[in-house]
Amino acid sequence: ITEIGLSTKEVIRGFGRCLREPGDELRLVALKGLARLGAKDVSSMVVPLILATGPLREQAMAVISKVGPSVIPQLKLLYPQADFHGKRAVITVLSRIGGKQALAYLLSILPQEPFEIQKLLTLCICEALDRMSPAMQAPIYSLVLRMVRRKGVDKQPQILITGAILLGHFKGGTR
């Protein structure tokens, strides 16, 4: 279907129905088709697969990244219930989506996460900032400043270090 260029809503919904079927092979093929055709109409079926394991998770991440900002609320709801690897996947996808809404969420969870997750958050936020223009970075700048100026941050030196690292990724025009 994807090779002949059909991208009707019915085909996409059909792929979405395949995601409910047992067996990772069929779901993986459906995700690959959705990656090429778009999954906005079936994102509610795709997003939970980010908590799966192995190739299913990887393919779901690729599809979700292409859907864009409309899936951010769903990812934010999944994050608290995710295990370590699920959290890593959600963080990675949010940073790939980028933008103020995604980065604001990543910055909001950073201070209370364990050090291993904080390192990933820092790396992913830096990569997202590097892909943004100075105009797009401007609203994020104040969020980083707010994070490092929070009450009690002096007891979390890793947050101050993270803030310094993040500030180094801002281009001109953010002040």
Side-chain angles (χ1 to χ4, degrees):
I1 292 171
T2 58
E3 292 302 317
I4 58 176
L6 295 176
S7 61
T8 65
K9 289 187 179 210
E10 293 80 24
V11 173
I12 291 170
R13 286 188 195 117
F15 277 136
R17 285 190 296 277
C18 290
L19 297 176
R20 295 185 194 139
E21 296 295 322
D24 286 353
E25 294 82 17
L26 179 59
R27 294 191 294 174
L28 194 55
V29 169
L31 284 170
K32 287 180 181 178
L34 287 169
R36 297 181 76 185
L37 295 175
K40 196 169 196 164
D41 293 339
V42 293
S43 65
S44 62
M45 292 182 252
V46 176
V47 171
L49 294 176
I50 199 170
L51 300 183
T53 58
L56 202 56
R57 173 183 286 154
E58 293 300 317
Q59 194 62 48
M61 288 172 65
V63 172
I64 295 165
S65 296
K66 289 182 179 182
V67 171
S70 65
V71 297
I72 293 173
Q74 294 173 60
L75 291 168
K76 288 167 62 173
L77 288 174
L78 277 182
Y79 187 81
Q81 65 190 16
D83 64 7
F84 177 80
H85 298 291
K87 285 184 177 193
R88 290 178 56 90
V90 171
I91 290 166
T92 302
V93 168
L94 284 169
S95 71
R96 287 178 188 167
I97 293 170
K100 182 181 179 184
Q101 185 182 10
L103 294 184
Y105 180 71
L106 295 178
L107 287 166
S108 74
I109 62 173
L110 194 147
Q112 66 266 11
E113 287 297 334
F115 185 65
E116 287 302 314
I117 296 288
Q118 286 181 349
K119 290 190 304 185
L120 175 68
L121 280 160
T122 304
L123 175 66
C124 286
I125 294 168
C126 287
E127 289 173 352
L129 287 170
D130 290 344
R131 291 189 305 270
M132 297 169 83
S133 69
M136 291 176 65
Q137 287 182 341
I140 311 302
Y141 185 79
S142 62
L143 298 174
V144 173
L145 288 179
R146 192 175 314 140
M147 181 185 73
V148 298
R149 292 176 177 164
R150 267 186 25 252
K151 184 178 179 180
V153 79
D154 56 331
K155 294 177 179 66
Q156 293 181 295
Q158 72 275 14
I159 299 302
L160 295 173
I161 293 167
T162 295
I165 292 168
L166 294 176
L167 290 172
H169 286 266
F170 284 89
K171 301 167 189 138
T174 54
R175 293 174 188 95

Short mmCIF file of all heavy atoms in Angstrom, two decimals, residues 110-163:
data_model
loop_
_atom_site.label_atom_id
_atom_site.label_comp_id
_atom_site.label_asym_id
_atom_site.label_seq_id
_atom_site.Cartn_x
_atom_site.Cartn_y
_atom_site.Cartn_z
N LEU A 110 13.09 17.69 34.78
CA LEU A 110 14.53 17.50 34.99
C LEU A 110 14.95 17.52 36.46
O LEU A 110 15.64 16.60 36.91
CB LEU A 110 15.31 18.52 34.17
CG LEU A 110 16.80 18.25 34.03
CD1 LEU A 110 17.28 18.73 32.69
CD2 LEU A 110 17.61 18.88 35.12
N PRO A 111 14.56 18.51 37.26
CA PRO A 111 15.08 18.59 38.63
C PRO A 111 14.75 17.40 39.53
O PRO A 111 15.55 17.04 40.39
CB PRO A 111 14.46 19.87 39.19
CG PRO A 111 14.16 20.69 37.99
CD PRO A 111 13.78 19.71 36.92
N GLN A 112 13.61 16.77 39.33
CA GLN A 112 13.23 15.68 40.24
C GLN A 112 13.62 14.29 39.75
O GLN A 112 13.39 13.32 40.45
CB GLN A 112 11.73 15.73 40.57
CG GLN A 112 10.81 15.46 39.41
CD GLN A 112 10.34 16.72 38.72
OE1 GLN A 112 10.84 17.80 38.96
NE2 GLN A 112 9.38 16.58 37.84
N GLU A 113 14.20 14.19 38.58
CA GLU A 113 14.59 12.89 38.04
C GLU A 113 15.94 12.44 38.59
O GLU A 113 16.77 13.26 38.99
CB GLU A 113 14.64 12.94 36.51
CG GLU A 113 13.30 12.99 35.86
CD GLU A 113 12.43 11.77 36.12
OE1 GLU A 113 12.96 10.67 36.40
OE2 GLU A 113 11.20 11.91 36.06
N PRO A 114 16.18 11.12 38.61
CA PRO A 114 17.50 10.62 39.02
C PRO A 114 18.59 11.08 38.06
O PRO A 114 18.31 11.44 36.91
CB PRO A 114 17.36 9.10 39.00
CG PRO A 114 16.01 8.79 38.49
CD PRO A 114 15.26 10.05 38.27
N PHE A 115 19.82 11.04 38.51
CA PHE A 115 20.95 11.57 37.76
C PHE A 115 21.05 10.98 36.36
O PHE A 115 21.34 11.70 35.40
CB PHE A 115 22.24 11.35 38.55
CG PHE A 115 23.44 11.96 37.90
CD1 PHE A 115 23.54 13.34 37.78
CD2 PHE A 115 24.46 11.17 37.42
CE1 PHE A 115 24.65 13.93 37.18
CE2 PHE A 115 25.58 11.76 36.82
CZ PHE A 115 25.67 13.12 36.70
N GLU A 116 20.83 9.67 36.20
CA GLU A 116 20.94 9.05 34.87
C GLU A 116 19.93 9.65 33.89
O GLU A 116 20.26 9.89 32.73
CB GLU A 116 20.75 7.53 34.96
CG GLU A 116 21.92 6.81 35.58
CD GLU A 116 23.23 7.04 34.83
OE1 GLU A 116 23.25 6.95 33.58
OE2 GLU A 116 24.24 7.31 35.49
N ILE A 117 18.73 9.90 34.34
CA ILE A 117 17.72 10.51 33.48
C ILE A 117 18.05 11.98 33.25
O ILE A 117 17.86 12.51 32.16
CB ILE A 117 16.31 10.34 34.09
CG1 ILE A 117 15.91 8.86 34.17
CG2 ILE A 117 15.27 11.14 33.32
CD1 ILE A 117 15.59 8.21 32.84
N GLN A 118 18.59 12.65 34.28
CA GLN A 118 18.99 14.06 34.11
C GLN A 118 20.04 14.20 33.02
O GLN A 118 20.00 15.15 32.24
CB GLN A 118 19.53 14.63 35.42
CG GLN A 118 18.47 14.92 36.44
CD GLN A 118 19.04 15.50 37.72
OE1 GLN A 118 20.26 15.51 37.95
NE2 GLN A 118 18.16 15.98 38.58
N LYS A 119 20.98 13.25 32.95
CA LYS A 119 22.00 13.31 31.90
C LYS A 119 21.36 13.21 30.51
O LYS A 119 21.70 13.96 29.61
CB LYS A 119 23.05 12.21 32.09
CG LYS A 119 23.94 12.42 33.29
CD LYS A 119 25.11 11.47 33.35
CE LYS A 119 24.74 10.03 33.32
NZ LYS A 119 25.85 9.10 33.50
N LEU A 120 20.42 12.28 30.36
CA LEU A 120 19.74 12.12 29.07
C LEU A 120 18.92 13.37 28.75
O LEU A 120 18.94 13.85 27.62
CB LEU A 120 18.83 10.90 29.09
CG LEU A 120 17.99 10.73 27.82
CD1 LEU A 120 18.87 10.38 26.63
CD2 LEU A 120 16.91 9.68 28.02
N LEU A 121 18.21 13.89 29.73
CA LEU A 121 17.44 15.11 29.52
C LEU A 121 18.33 16.25 29.04
O LEU A 121 17.98 16.96 28.10
CB LEU A 121 16.71 15.51 30.81
CG LEU A 121 15.42 14.74 31.11
CD1 LEU A 121 15.07 14.84 32.58
CD2 LEU A 121 14.30 15.25 30.24
N THR A 122 19.46 16.41 29.68
CA THR A 122 20.39 17.48 29.30
C THR A 122 20.84 17.31 27.86
O THR A 122 20.80 18.26 27.06
CB THR A 122 21.60 17.51 30.25
OG1 THR A 122 21.13 17.66 31.59
CG2 THR A 122 22.55 18.64 29.91
N LEU A 123 21.25 16.11 27.51
CA LEU A 123 21.70 15.83 26.14
C LEU A 123 20.59 16.09 25.13
O LEU A 123 20.80 16.76 24.11
CB LEU A 123 22.19 14.39 26.02
CG LEU A 123 22.58 13.92 24.63
CD1 LEU A 123 23.80 14.67 24.14
CD2 LEU A 123 22.83 12.43 24.63
N CYS A 124 19.39 15.59 25.41
CA CYS A 124 18.28 15.75 24.47
C CYS A 124 17.85 17.20 24.33
O CYS A 124 17.55 17.66 23.22
CB CYS A 124 17.10 14.88 24.92
SG CYS A 124 17.36 13.12 24.63
N ILE A 125 17.83 17.94 25.43
CA ILE A 125 17.46 19.36 25.36
C ILE A 125 18.51 20.12 24.57
O ILE A 125 18.18 20.98 23.74
CB ILE A 125 17.25 19.95 26.76
CG1 ILE A 125 16.03 19.30 27.43
CG2 ILE A 125 17.06 21.47 26.69
CD1 ILE A 125 15.90 19.60 28.92
N CYS A 126 19.79 19.81 24.79
CA CYS A 126 20.86 20.47 24.03
C CYS A 126 20.71 20.21 22.53
O CYS A 126 20.84 21.13 21.72
CB CYS A 126 22.23 19.98 24.50
SG CYS A 126 22.74 20.60 26.11
N GLU A 127 20.43 18.97 22.16
CA GLU A 127 20.26 18.64 20.75
C GLU A 127 19.06 19.38 20.15
O GLU A 127 19.13 19.86 19.02
CB GLU A 127 20.10 17.13 20.58
CG GLU A 127 21.39 16.37 20.83
CD GLU A 127 21.21 14.86 20.84
OE1 GLU A 127 20.06 14.37 20.78
OE2 GLU A 127 22.24 14.16 20.91
N ALA A 128 17.98 19.47 20.92
CA ALA A 128 16.80 20.20 20.43
C ALA A 128 17.12 21.68 20.26
O ALA A 128 16.73 22.29 19.27
CB ALA A 128 15.63 20.00 21.39
N LEU A 129 17.83 22.26 21.23
CA LEU A 129 18.21 23.68 21.13
C LEU A 129 19.09 23.92 19.91
O LEU A 129 18.94 24.94 19.23
CB LEU A 129 18.93 24.13 22.40
CG LEU A 129 18.08 24.30 23.65
CD1 LEU A 129 18.96 24.51 24.88
CD2 LEU A 129 17.10 25.45 23.48
N ASP A 130 19.99 23.00 19.64
CA ASP A 130 20.89 23.16 18.50
C ASP A 130 20.14 23.17 17.16
O ASP A 130 20.61 23.75 16.19
CB ASP A 130 21.95 22.06 18.48
CG ASP A 130 22.96 22.21 19.62
OD1 ASP A 130 23.03 23.29 20.23
OD2 ASP A 130 23.66 21.21 19.90
N ARG A 131 18.97 22.52 17.11
CA ARG A 131 18.18 22.50 15.88
C ARG A 131 17.28 23.72 15.73
O ARG A 131 16.65 23.91 14.70
CB ARG A 131 17.31 21.23 15.85
CG ARG A 131 18.07 19.94 15.67
CD ARG A 131 17.15 18.76 15.42
NE ARG A 131 16.12 18.59 16.44
CZ ARG A 131 16.26 17.85 17.54
NH1 ARG A 131 17.38 17.21 17.77
NH2 ARG A 131 15.26 17.74 18.40
N MET A 132 17.19 24.54 16.76
CA MET A 132 16.27 25.68 16.76
C MET A 132 16.97 26.96 16.35
O MET A 132 18.15 27.15 16.63
CB MET A 132 15.67 25.86 18.16
CG MET A 132 14.85 24.68 18.64
SD MET A 132 14.42 24.79 20.39
CE MET A 132 13.01 25.86 20.31
N SER A 133 16.20 27.84 15.73
CA SER A 133 16.71 29.17 15.40
C SER A 133 16.73 30.01 16.67
O SER A 133 16.05 29.68 17.65
CB SER A 133 15.79 29.83 14.37
OG SER A 133 14.54 30.13 14.97
N PRO A 134 17.47 31.11 16.68
CA PRO A 134 17.48 31.98 17.87
C PRO A 134 16.07 32.45 18.25
O PRO A 134 15.75 32.51 19.44
CB PRO A 134 18.35 33.17 17.44
CG PRO A 134 19.28 32.59 16.42
CD PRO A 134 18.46 31.56 15.69
N ALA A 135 15.24 32.75 17.29
CA ALA A 135 13.87 33.19 17.60
C ALA A 135 13.07 32.09 18.29
O ALA A 135 12.29 32.36 19.20
CB ALA A 135 13.16 33.64 16.32
N MET A 136 13.27 30.85 17.87
CA MET A 136 12.57 29.74 18.50
C MET A 136 13.13 29.44 19.89
O MET A 136 12.42 28.95 20.76
CB MET A 136 12.64 28.49 17.62
CG MET A 136 11.84 28.60 16.34
SD MET A 136 12.06 27.16 15.27
CE MET A 136 11.34 25.87 16.26
N GLN A 137 14.41 29.71 20.07
CA GLN A 137 15.05 29.46 21.37
C GLN A 137 14.64 30.47 22.44
O GLN A 137 14.65 30.15 23.62
CB GLN A 137 16.58 29.53 21.24
CG GLN A 137 17.21 28.38 20.55
CD GLN A 137 18.73 28.55 20.52
OE1 GLN A 137 19.26 29.64 20.69
NE2 GLN A 137 19.42 27.45 20.30
N ALA A 138 14.29 31.68 22.03
CA ALA A 138 14.06 32.78 22.97
C ALA A 138 13.12 32.42 24.12
O ALA A 138 13.46 32.68 25.28
CB ALA A 138 13.58 34.02 22.22
N PRO A 139 11.95 31.79 23.88
CA PRO A 139 11.08 31.49 25.02
C PRO A 139 11.64 30.40 25.94
O PRO A 139 11.28 30.33 27.11
CB PRO A 139 9.77 31.04 24.38
CG PRO A 139 10.01 30.90 22.93
CD PRO A 139 11.32 31.51 22.60
N ILE A 140 12.53 29.59 25.43
CA ILE A 140 13.12 28.52 26.24
C ILE A 140 14.17 29.09 27.20
O ILE A 140 14.36 28.60 28.30
CB ILE A 140 13.78 27.45 25.33
CG1 ILE A 140 12.84 27.01 24.21
CG2 ILE A 140 14.26 26.27 26.14
CD1 ILE A 140 11.52 26.44 24.64
N TYR A 141 14.83 30.14 26.77
CA TYR A 141 15.87 30.78 27.57
C TYR A 141 15.35 31.14 28.96
O TYR A 141 15.98 30.82 29.98
CB TYR A 141 16.39 32.02 26.84
CG TYR A 141 17.55 32.71 27.51
CD1 TYR A 141 18.83 32.20 27.39
CD2 TYR A 141 17.36 33.86 28.26
CE1 TYR A 141 19.91 32.84 28.00
CE2 TYR A 141 18.42 34.50 28.87
CZ TYR A 141 19.69 33.99 28.74
OH TYR A 141 20.75 34.61 29.35
N SER A 142 14.19 31.77 29.01
CA SER A 142 13.64 32.17 30.31
C SER A 142 13.27 30.96 31.16
O SER A 142 13.36 31.00 32.39
CB SER A 142 12.44 33.10 30.13
OG SER A 142 11.41 32.42 29.44
N LEU A 143 12.88 29.87 30.54
CA LEU A 143 12.55 28.65 31.28
C LEU A 143 13.80 28.06 31.93
O LEU A 143 13.74 27.56 33.06
CB LEU A 143 11.89 27.62 30.36
CG LEU A 143 10.56 28.01 29.74
CD1 LEU A 143 10.10 26.95 28.74
CD2 LEU A 143 9.51 28.24 30.81
N VAL A 144 14.91 28.10 31.22
CA VAL A 144 16.17 27.60 31.78
C VAL A 144 16.60 28.49 32.95
O VAL A 144 16.99 27.98 34.01
CB VAL A 144 17.28 27.51 30.70
CG1 VAL A 144 18.62 27.16 31.33
CG2 VAL A 144 16.90 26.50 29.63
N LEU A 145 16.51 29.80 32.76
CA LEU A 145 16.86 30.71 33.85
C LEU A 145 15.98 30.46 35.08
O LEU A 145 16.47 30.45 36.21
CB LEU A 145 16.74 32.16 33.41
CG LEU A 145 17.81 32.66 32.44
CD1 LEU A 145 17.55 34.11 32.08
CD2 LEU A 145 19.20 32.48 33.01
N ARG A 146 14.70 30.26 34.85
CA ARG A 146 13.77 29.99 35.95
C ARG A 146 14.17 28.71 36.69
O ARG A 146 14.10 28.64 37.91
CB ARG A 146 12.35 29.90 35.43
CG ARG A 146 11.30 29.91 36.53
CD ARG A 146 9.87 29.94 36.00
NE ARG A 146 9.70 30.93 34.94
CZ ARG A 146 8.98 30.73 33.84
NH1 ARG A 146 8.33 29.61 33.65
NH2 ARG A 146 8.87 31.68 32.93
N MET A 147 14.59 27.69 35.94
CA MET A 147 14.98 26.42 36.55
C MET A 147 16.20 26.60 37.46
O MET A 147 16.23 26.09 38.57
CB MET A 147 15.29 25.38 35.46
CG MET A 147 15.70 24.03 36.02
SD MET A 147 16.20 22.86 34.74
CE MET A 147 17.80 23.52 34.25
N VAL A 148 17.19 27.35 37.00
CA VAL A 148 18.41 27.50 37.81
C VAL A 148 18.26 28.52 38.94
O VAL A 148 19.09 28.56 39.84
CB VAL A 148 19.65 27.85 36.94
CG1 VAL A 148 19.94 26.72 35.96
CG2 VAL A 148 19.49 29.16 36.23
N ARG A 149 17.20 29.31 38.89
CA ARG A 149 16.96 30.30 39.94
C ARG A 149 15.92 29.84 40.97
O ARG A 149 15.60 30.59 41.88
CB ARG A 149 16.51 31.63 39.33
CG ARG A 149 17.60 32.31 38.54
CD ARG A 149 17.08 33.57 37.88
NE ARG A 149 18.16 34.25 37.18
CZ ARG A 149 17.96 35.18 36.27
NH1 ARG A 149 16.73 35.55 35.94
NH2 ARG A 149 18.98 35.76 35.66
N ARG A 150 15.42 28.63 40.79
CA ARG A 150 14.42 28.08 41.71
C ARG A 150 14.95 28.05 43.14
O ARG A 150 16.14 27.85 43.37
CB ARG A 150 14.10 26.63 41.33
CG ARG A 150 12.98 26.39 40.45
CD ARG A 150 12.66 24.90 40.25
NE ARG A 150 13.08 24.02 41.32
CZ ARG A 150 14.10 23.16 41.24
NH1 ARG A 150 14.81 23.06 40.16
NH2 ARG A 150 14.41 22.39 42.25
N LYS A 151 14.04 28.19 44.07
CA LYS A 151 14.39 28.08 45.48
C LYS A 151 14.89 26.66 45.76
O LYS A 151 14.32 25.68 45.29
CB LYS A 151 13.15 28.37 46.34
CG LYS A 151 13.43 28.37 47.82
CD LYS A 151 12.18 28.72 48.60
CE LYS A 151 12.50 28.69 50.09
NZ LYS A 151 11.33 29.03 50.89
N GLY A 152 15.97 26.56 46.48
CA GLY A 152 16.54 25.27 46.85
C GLY A 152 17.47 24.66 45.83
O GLY A 152 18.01 23.58 46.05
N VAL A 153 17.68 25.34 44.70
CA VAL A 153 18.55 24.78 43.67
C VAL A 153 20.01 24.73 44.14
O VAL A 153 20.80 23.94 43.63
CB VAL A 153 18.40 25.54 42.33
CG1 VAL A 153 19.15 26.84 42.33
CG2 VAL A 153 18.83 24.67 41.17
N ASP A 154 20.35 25.54 45.15
CA ASP A 154 21.71 25.51 45.68
C ASP A 154 22.04 24.16 46.32
O ASP A 154 23.20 23.81 46.47
CB ASP A 154 21.93 26.65 46.69
CG ASP A 154 20.92 26.64 47.83
OD1 ASP A 154 19.77 26.17 47.62
OD2 ASP A 154 21.27 27.10 48.92
N LYS A 155 21.03 23.37 46.63
CA LYS A 155 21.23 22.03 47.18
C LYS A 155 21.30 20.98 46.08
O LYS A 155 21.44 19.80 46.35
CB LYS A 155 20.12 21.70 48.17
CG LYS A 155 20.15 22.57 49.42
CD LYS A 155 18.99 22.25 50.32
CE LYS A 155 19.00 23.08 51.58
NZ LYS A 155 18.80 24.49 51.40
N GLN A 156 21.16 21.42 44.83
CA GLN A 156 21.22 20.53 43.66
C GLN A 156 22.25 21.08 42.67
O GLN A 156 21.89 21.61 41.62
CB GLN A 156 19.86 20.42 42.98
CG GLN A 156 18.79 19.73 43.78
CD GLN A 156 17.50 19.65 42.99
OE1 GLN A 156 16.90 20.66 42.68
NE2 GLN A 156 17.10 18.45 42.64
N PRO A 157 23.53 20.93 42.97
CA PRO A 157 24.54 21.50 42.07
C PRO A 157 24.47 20.96 40.65
O PRO A 157 24.82 21.66 39.70
CB PRO A 157 25.87 21.15 42.74
CG PRO A 157 25.55 20.10 43.75
CD PRO A 157 24.11 20.24 44.11
N GLN A 158 23.98 19.74 40.48
CA GLN A 158 23.88 19.19 39.12
C GLN A 158 22.90 20.00 38.27
O GLN A 158 23.06 20.10 37.06
CB GLN A 158 23.51 17.70 39.13
CG GLN A 158 22.09 17.38 39.52
CD GLN A 158 21.86 17.27 41.03
OE1 GLN A 158 22.69 17.67 41.83
NE2 GLN A 158 20.71 16.73 41.40
N ILE A 159 21.88 20.62 38.90
CA ILE A 159 20.94 21.44 38.15
C ILE A 159 21.62 22.73 37.70
O ILE A 159 21.40 23.21 36.58
CB ILE A 159 19.67 21.75 38.99
CG1 ILE A 159 18.95 20.46 39.37
CG2 ILE A 159 18.73 22.69 38.23
CD1 ILE A 159 18.52 19.60 38.20
N LEU A 160 22.47 23.28 38.55
CA LEU A 160 23.23 24.48 38.16
C LEU A 160 24.18 24.17 37.00
O LEU A 160 24.30 24.96 36.06
CB LEU A 160 24.00 25.04 39.35
CG LEU A 160 23.14 25.58 40.50
CD1 LEU A 160 24.02 25.94 41.70
CD2 LEU A 160 22.33 26.77 40.04
N ILE A 161 24.81 23.02 37.07
CA ILE A 161 25.71 22.61 35.98
C ILE A 161 24.92 22.38 34.69
O ILE A 161 25.31 22.83 33.62
CB ILE A 161 26.50 21.35 36.39
CG1 ILE A 161 27.46 21.69 37.53
CG2 ILE A 161 27.25 20.75 35.20
CD1 ILE A 161 28.07 20.50 38.22
N THR A 162 23.78 21.71 34.83
CA THR A 162 22.91 21.49 33.67
C THR A 162 22.50 22.83 33.06
O THR A 162 22.52 23.00 31.84
CB THR A 162 21.67 20.67 34.07
OG1 THR A 162 22.11 19.37 34.48
CG2 THR A 162 20.69 20.54 32.92
N GLY A 163 22.12 23.77 33.92
CA GLY A 163 21.72 25.10 33.43
C GLY A 163 22.83 25.76 32.65
O GLY A 163 22.60 26.34 31.59
#
